[in-house]
């Protein structure tokens, strides 16, 4: 679904809204399946609540936050735009510091430990004596271990961190430079955003710009300014490309084929 929406070049808030609806429905279907069928083994149950559900719920939390951030942005450029995303970035860092990084569970999860998985990721193992957050009383006991939600929050915050970082690092100077260029106003990117991400990462991976000493994010900023097209989360978009079915370099393959066909036509 992410790949499909990426090809449609939707505004960030629209793509986020559609992903929220999709992921909500996916969780409802999963819940019905789990309640009806249960798990084939203890390890199956642990894997579901440690890996499968948090990946989906984490994306749901992430896209819902993106929708709220994008629909609350007061302007589309300029200093106020920069300050808005910078403030959101600071709030995220503060939330991470206050509620995530200092917890014993975060250190357990980040270290890759498995010795307490039977307690953290199996149904009916919630221990109130641990002094858990009051959210525990809202947990659906037949579809959550409480800690699956904590993992989902960690995943969501990682995605959100990359998204906001890409926003605040877009330099207004680049936008003004290209806006005032004589030819740039007529230069439009008319393919999908996914195709542009392919091109950006191909240039980055090959090291052909600035002797390979420029980041993919900076290359992306130049292209966004040049074509006046937003790429909501370059890092996230690239990782979606890596999981494509079939060719992972559809656009680059198309470029190669188009050039070869053009060469064959030329006398």
């Amino acid at each position: 679904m992410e790949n499909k929406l990426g090809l449609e070049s939707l505004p960030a808030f629209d793509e986020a809204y559609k992903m929220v609806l999709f992921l909500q429905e996916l969780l409802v279907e999963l819940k019905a399946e789990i309640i009806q069928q249960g798990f084939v083994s203890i390890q199956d149950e642990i894997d579901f609540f440690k890996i499968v559900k948090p990946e989906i719920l984490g994306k749901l939390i992430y896209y819902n936050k993106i929708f709220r951030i994008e629909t609350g942005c007061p302007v589309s450029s300029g200093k106020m735009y920069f300050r808005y995303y910078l403030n959101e970035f600071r709030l995220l860092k503060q939330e991470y510091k206050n509620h995530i990084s200092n917890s014993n569970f975060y250190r357990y999860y980040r270290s890759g430990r498995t010795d307490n998985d039977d307690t953290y990721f199996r149904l009916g193992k919630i221990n109130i004596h641990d002094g858990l957050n009051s959210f525990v009383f809202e947990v659906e006991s037949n579809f959550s271990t409480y800690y699956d939600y904590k993992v989902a929050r960690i995943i969501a915050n990682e995605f959100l961190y990359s998204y906001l970082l890409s926003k605040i690092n877009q330099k207004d100077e680049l936008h003004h430079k290209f806006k005032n260029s004589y030819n740039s106003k007529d230069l439009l990117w008319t393919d999908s955003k996914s195709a542009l991400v392919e091109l950006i990462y191909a240039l980055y991976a090959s090291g052909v710009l600035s002797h390979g000493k420029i980041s993919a994010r900076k290359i992306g900023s130049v292209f966004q300014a040049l074509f006046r097209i937003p790429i909501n989360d370059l890092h996230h978009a690239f990782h979606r490309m890596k999981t494509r079915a079939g060719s992972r370099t559809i656009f680059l393959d198309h470029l190669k084929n188009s050039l070869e066909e053009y060469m064959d036509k030329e006398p």
Side-chain angles (χ1 to χ4, degrees):
M1 178 58 73
E2 287 179 326
N3 289 336
K4 177 183 176 183
L5 294 176
L7 293 172
E8 296 179 12
S9 299
L10 299 170
F13 68 86
D14 199 6
E15 179 178 344
Y17 176 73
K18 291 179 183 296
M19 283 303 303
V20 166
L21 295 180
F22 172 76
L23 291 165
Q24 277 185 312
E25 182 61 30
L26 185 56
L27 278 178
V28 170
E29 293 174 1
L30 273 176
K31 179 181 177 182
E33 183 178 334
I34 293 303
I35 292 175
Q36 181 180 3
Q37 300 180 14
F39 300 98
V40 297
S41 66
I42 292 175
Q43 190 59 51
D44 183 40
E45 181 179 357
I46 290 173
D47 288 344
F48 179 80
F49 288 113
K50 187 176 184 178
I51 302 171
V52 180
K53 185 186 173 188
E55 287 286 350
I56 299 170
L57 182 57
K59 285 288 186 71
L60 177 57
I61 295 170
Y62 164 72
Y63 279 114
N64 184 58
K65 186 66 175 178
I66 292 300
F67 179 77
R68 293 175 59 188
I69 289 173
E70 290 296 335
T71 53
C73 187
V75 292
S76 58
S77 62
K79 292 183 179 179
M80 186 181 293
Y81 174 91
F82 174 79
R83 286 197 299 267
Y84 175 79
Y85 286 103
L86 184 60
N87 184 60
E88 290 291 337
F89 187 73
R90 288 169 177 163
L91 291 174
L92 179 67
K93 289 175 66 177
Q94 192 62 45
E95 178 186 350
Y96 167 79
K97 181 179 179 180
N98 293 343
H99 303 293
I100 297 179
S101 64
N102 292 324
S103 70
N104 291 329
F105 175 75
Y106 179 78
R107 287 188 286 271
Y108 172 87
Y109 177 73
R110 273 287 176 233
S111 64
R113 287 169 54 190
T114 60
D115 50 295
N116 287 330
D117 280 2
D118 187 74
T119 299
Y120 289 139
F121 302 111
R122 292 192 64 200
L123 295 172
K125 296 294 186 78
I126 297 175
N127 186 359
I128 304 300
H129 289 100
D130 290 339
L132 304 178
N133 188 287
S134 296
F135 172 76
V136 70
F137 301 114
E138 302 177 30
V139 166
E140 297 178 271
S141 59
N142 59 356
F143 191 58
S144 180
T145 71
Y146 174 72
Y147 290 95
D148 58 276
Y149 173 76
K150 282 185 165 291
V151 175
R153 285 291 298 274
I154 293 171
I155 292 171
N157 280 11
E158 287 178 348
F159 281 126
L160 194 57
Y161 179 87
S162 295
Y163 181 86
L164 292 173
L165 196 62
S166 70
K167 287 288 188 179
I168 63 178
N169 281 316
Q170 291 176 7
K171 302 299 184 183
D172 284 334
E173 293 80 9
L174 283 172
H175 287 269
H176 291 306
K177 178 180 178 180
F178 285 113
K179 256 184 197 177
N180 296 329
S181 171
Y182 176 76
N183 293 319
S184 67
K185 63 182 180 180
D186 299 319
L187 191 60
L188 304 176
W189 182 264
T190 54
D191 209 308
S192 69
K193 290 182 183 179
S194 295
L196 185 56
V197 171
E198 267 191 56
L199 180 58
I200 290 168
Y201 268 92
L203 294 172
Y204 167 69
S206 61
V208 296
L209 297 178
S210 300
H211 304 288
K213 295 181 180 180
I214 185 172
S215 68
R217 176 182 54 77
K218 287 185 178 179
I219 298 172
S221 295
V222 171
F223 276 98
Q224 289 181 81
L226 176 62
F227 298 122
R228 299 179 302 285
I229 177 174
I231 303 174
N232 303 328
D233 185 347
L234 185 66
H235 180 72
H236 188 195
F238 173 67
H239 280 278
R240 292 207 302 259
M241 286 168 46
K242 292 166 65 176
T243 59
R244 283 176 179 169
S247 174
R248 296 186 294 178
T249 55
I250 299 172
F251 179 67
L252 297 179
D253 295 341
H254 170 67
L255 287 182
K256 177 177 179 295
N257 292 334
S258 297
L259 179 57
E260 288 181 343
E261 289 177 5
Y262 183 76
M263 288 176 172
D264 291 338
K265 292 179 182 177
E266 284 293 291

